[in-house]
């Protein structure tokens, strides 16, 4: 399907043919209760992905790795 092909110029491909996903926007937040602990997670839209391919990521991990997303209301635009 040609609509799924991404131009390689916009993706920085490493020598081992991998690339780093970069989060663009936080779409949603949820808190789940696991026994005696609340676990917060964010629904994240990644660069070079479609909205249907967003993922849920742990709040703690996202804040450690991508603190800039949380500085001005949650958007990296």
């Amino acid at each position: 399907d040609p609509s799924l092909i991404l131009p390689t110029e916009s993706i920085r491909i490493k020598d081992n043919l991998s690339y780093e996903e970069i989060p663009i926007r936080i779409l949603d937040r949820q808190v789940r209760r696991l026994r005696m602990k609340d676990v917060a997670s964010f629904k994240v839209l990644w660069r070079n992905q479609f909205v249907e391919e967003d993922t849920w990521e742990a709040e703690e991990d996202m804040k450690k790795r991508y603190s800039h997303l949380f500085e001005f209301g949650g958007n990296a635009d």
Side-chain angles (χ1 to χ4, degrees):
D1 184 359
S3 68
L4 298 176
I5 298 173
L6 297 172
T8 56
E9 298 83 36
S10 66
I11 304 172
R12 294 185 180 156
I13 299 176
K14 298 177 185 177
D15 291 338
N16 64 359
L17 300 179
S18 67
Y19 64 95
E20 180 182 356
E21 285 288 359
I22 298 172
I24 301 297
R25 176 172 287 143
I26 303 295
L27 301 174
D28 197 5
R29 182 178 187 270
Q30 71 179 7
V31 178
R32 291 190 180 176
R33 183 98 169 130
L34 300 177
R35 296 187 188 208
M36 303 300 287
K37 182 178 177 183
D38 290 335
V39 178
S41 58
F42 291 103
K43 193 173 193 179
V44 180
L45 176 63
W46 299 92
R47 185 180 72 181
N48 302 320
Q49 299 293 327
F50 300 106
V51 175
E52 296 82 24
E53 297 176 16
D54 48 19
T55 60
W56 286 98
E57 305 292 335
E59 177 181 40
E60 185 177 315
D61 294 339
M62 290 298 294
K63 285 187 175 180
K64 282 182 190 174
R65 295 181 68 195
Y66 307 107
S67 61
H68 65 279
L69 289 175
F70 303 93
E71 292 172 1
F72 301 104
N75 292 332
D77 294 60

